[in-house]
Amino acid sequence: MNVEIPYFARHQLSPGGTWISSRQKSLRTFKLADIGEGITECEIIRWAVKEQSAVQSFDPLCEVQSDKASVEITSPYDGVIKQFLVGEGEVAKVGQGLCLIEVAEDDTTHVESTETTGQSPVKTPVQVTHDVAEDTPTEAPPSVNVPLRKHPLDPTNDLSGTATTDHVLATPSVRHFARQHGVDLAAIAPGSGRDGRVEKKDVEAFISKVPVPDEVETASRQQEDVVVDLGRTRHGMWKAMVQSLEIPQFGYSTSLDLTRIHGLLPTLNAHIPAHFLPSASTPSSPRISHMVNPSALYPVPQPPSVPESGRFTKMTYLPFLLKTLAISMMEWPLFRASITPAPAQDTNKPTLTIRPTADLTLALSTPTGLYTPTIPSAQSFSLHALASRVTHLAYLGRQVPCGLTVKDMPRRGGTISVSNVGAIGKGEGASPVLVPGGGVAIVAIGRAKWVWDVSDEFYRPNDDGMEGERRLKIDVSWSVDHRVVEGAELAAFVETWRGWVENPERLIAVAT
Amino acid sequence: MFVSFRHVASVLGARSKPSTALVRTSASLPSTSLRPQSAIYVSTSTNPYFNLTLEDWLFRQYPAHAPLLLLYRDSPCIVIGRNQNPWKEVNLRVARERNVPWIRRRSGGGTVFHDLGNTNYSIHVPRTSFDRAKTANIVVRALRALGAEGYANERNDICVGGKKMAAVLTSACDRHVSGAAYKIVSGRAYHHGTMLISTRLDTLRDLLRVDKPTMNAKGVESVRSPVCNLVEANPRITHEAFVEAVIASFREEYDVDDEPCMVEETPEYVGDEYFKSGMAELPGWEWAYGQTPEFEYVLKKKFGWGDVTSTIRSKHGIILSSTSTLAAATTASSTNIQATLDELGRRLEGKRYGFVQDAEVLSDLEYRSGDVAQSEAGELWRWLKAEMSA
């Protein structure tokens, strides 16, 4: 299979198929979505379009065959088919790219960051990749659209309006048209189409009725030096960073191979328990016939109630990385240790307090500042529960004023801090800063990216003449308190972590 | 009304390209002026072309959010899956001898044999609620209501087990009574299958017995399973009883009240554009043969004048290449013969596999190198031709 994609050099496309900044057109990889029914791969029978031809969303794109099912796949976007990534008669796995579609985009970049510190929001970058993969057109088109959630720090982000717009029914081309003209679909809904769908003519009618707003007043240009206060949260960061100079830190960076967990994500996503799914969504129908009721003999225990803010539709890599980190911490008491807080005048030798649980602190970047909530006893959380907790904390953090309370941020924080700087950009090799109270180590997790690996493990000749393998890797950078931890110990600990991350199937053996 | 359904495969236009239009867009679907009237359809026609087109029409025209059931029977025919290879799945020689046509259906999966002892069911649902196990269960419930111990296995094939079968079976294998296939489009999906009530199993075996281990084909290969008829489990089961039981089970599952709509090949249907073009497309060469995925067939034969290995590659029903190599020649003019064989191979390129006329291949060949080569090429050609139509 030919994997050359000539557009890459010009458009600097990240192989995950995410956005390209500030270009009029963006090239998106349309991936074979999870068709359900446990199907993991399909053969492409026939392409219904040719390369370089234009398609509208919902136009049939190709027909694929998997065991006994013949499936018609339609286009998720309006655009031009630039290149087929899988030919007729070839087999594609779920999640694999089927073709490249060039879509006309507006100029706003996906994320703008005005902060350049090491800490960053908890939202993981790979959410966007999976949005593209999930684009199977269903009866309700909102799921087809890649959510344009702006970064909380994006000055143009309007936090209040986003929720309602998502519930308006409209095809992607209508959404695009509305976006181009700065029209909020929530203002037009319901539209004139079927089921209240907003059609293009509704948008046009809206535009012609509403007078064009005046140009937004540009902030008056700054003429001279201005003095501003730091603000409470930023001042808190200042103090912590000054104290951090007391801690001798060493850094350590490596990359983890996420390919295997990437392959498991479709299965995990297909089996998110109903109590973690948003109330509005319909859970996947159970395999067992409705005629048989497990509660017939004795009531099945009710699942715990989960607040709406803690519900999610997709698993991402972050909960998985947190879970495996927590398991590794259980094997390494050193990383469950914190320096025993000593009274000021005490001249006894310093001691470490080792806790029985793996407590993790998340570095959360929010509109109101940098916060560090803690997940106590992270090893006892299931993957889904971790995802739920992370989602919930992120939701609280996004609120203005901040919804995080002292309960979420106890004085005794975690022993390892986790920062997800990969959500912001494609930076490689961040050096996070460990502050007092932040535990013995902090790890910054980068952005997952696909690379060609020709290390000995994968370097081998095969029929196509290709050697090496395409693997999904993520960079992680550690900063560790050298008063407590040796370099070799950290390296060994990271290898323990790697052993779990790169072999996710091991989680089956420890499932309780 | 019995419509003759011999294949109307056209030999003309040998170089036609496979049409991508056969992946149908909602723009390219033929128009229809008819509207579905009920959630339950029973066809009394036994014309497979009509019934397949009826199924397709209901699939595209019925409201996407509502479940639908269709039941029908066909006169003897072989039905192959959307992406299968007829030369690998069907014993074409036996089919011709017994005047049994074969048809390519629109859903995926493997090859089945239809006759009047075999009832077909087709359950259509919205794509988002499509669940193979659930739709299979509708049929399983119907079987149970008829007194047969039916169940669905892990591939969602329907089988029967039970004491009666134990005397007949070896080891622990229960037998299949049904094969199934699925089709999924953006808003809708269907699960359809056959139910063997009292089919001629011997005919089934003869028609589906193909022995071409050297034909290497892409596409879907049928999974052969031992089958048995429902009457072996309960002799009183008939087509009518099965139809009634499935309708009742379907009604119960989806809480549907509709009266079944009985359909036959009335002028109202047969005159409608959708039906006319659908029934014309199915037996046409473009759909029947032209949708065959790529395959390669390696043949060997010992002639009086040497051993020949021929390799034919074909895609979409067209011969891409044909090479014949002569080894162990017993005559002195082997290079001449090889040259003639090469020429014969070149002439086959671009022709429709299995539909090449003698004249297209052999004419003018004799002038190349005298009568000797002509007779060898002729022998080879007759052999290849026979193999390509088996």
Side-chain angles (χ1 to χ4, degrees), chain A residues 125-371:
Chain A
V126 198
Q127 258 182 359
V128 181
T129 324
H130 276 272
D131 286 342
V132 178
E134 210 220 63
D135 279 346
T136 43
T138 58
E139 281 298 283
S143 62
V144 179
N145 201 14
V146 177
L148 240 190
R149 254 197 308 229
K150 293 193 176 149
H151 185 268
L153 298 179
D154 187 331
T156 65
N157 188 15
D158 173 25
L159 286 169
S160 52
T162 44
T164 43
T165 314
D166 284 348
H167 294 140
V168 177
L169 286 179
T171 65
S173 52
V174 171
R175 281 181 192 275
H176 175 63
F177 180 70
R179 255 201 320 275
Q180 267 181 328
H181 290 85
V183 174
D184 181 5
L185 286 176
I188 308 180
S192 56
R194 191 157 65 100
D195 297 332
R197 226 169 273 252
V198 175
E199 315 262 63
K200 187 166 173 188
K201 60 179 193 286
D202 297 325
V203 180
E204 285 168 337
F206 186 81
I207 294 170
S208 57
K209 275 199 305 237
V210 172
V212 177
D214 294 333
E215 292 276 353
V216 174
E217 281 182 19
T218 52
S220 54
R221 196 174 288 260
Q222 191 178 341
Q223 306 290 355
E224 55 198 16
D225 290 355
V226 175
V227 176
V228 298
D229 280 352
L230 281 178
R232 194 160 65 110
T233 322
R234 197 181 289 269
H235 187 53
M237 183 172 72
W238 169 291
K239 288 189 288 199
M241 289 303 152
V242 168
Q243 282 176 333
S244 78
L245 292 171
E246 291 174 3
I247 305 177
Q249 304 183 25
F250 73 91
Y252 181 85
S253 298
T254 185
S255 69
L256 299 172
D257 191 320
L258 294 181
T259 315
R260 306 253 293 259
I261 183 64
H262 174 78
L264 292 179
L265 271 183
T267 309
L268 290 175
N269 280 334
H271 294 280
I272 298 175
H275 57 275
F276 284 123
L277 288 169
S279 321
S281 72
T282 47
S284 53
S285 47
R287 297 262 159 201
I288 307 167
S289 160
H290 289 301
M291 291 195 320
V292 185
N293 184 0
S295 289
L297 177 65
Y298 186 80
V300 170
Q302 288 293 324
S305 72
V306 176
E308 201 59 33
S309 53
R311 293 177 185 236
F312 57 96
T313 52
K314 280 193 285 286
M315 281 293 299
T316 60
Y317 300 132
L318 183 65
F320 171 73
L321 290 169
L322 293 178
K323 175 76 180 174
T324 47
L325 189 62
I327 295 177
S328 309
M329 284 162 75
M330 295 314 288
E331 296 176 35
W332 279 85
L334 176 61
F335 290 91
R336 282 184 274 122
S338 56
I339 297 172
T340 317
Q345 299 304 323
D346 200 339
T347 52
N348 285 350
K349 287 200 304 203
T351 57
L352 293 175
T353 306
I354 302 181
R355 353 178 152 181
T357 56
D359 303 335
L360 291 174
T361 301
L362 297 179
L364 201 56
S365 177
T366 74
T368 46
L370 177 63
Y371 295 97

Side-chain angles (χ1 to χ4, degrees), chain B residues 84-104:
Chain B
Q84 290 202 296
N85 182 327
W87 293 286
K88 190 102 175 155
E89 300 292 333
V90 181
N91 192 322
L92 294 170
R93 187 174 292 128
V94 175
R96 267 196 306 273
E97 285 164 13
R98 302 202 196 177
N99 204 15
V100 174
W102 66 267
I103 303 163
R104 183 188 297 273

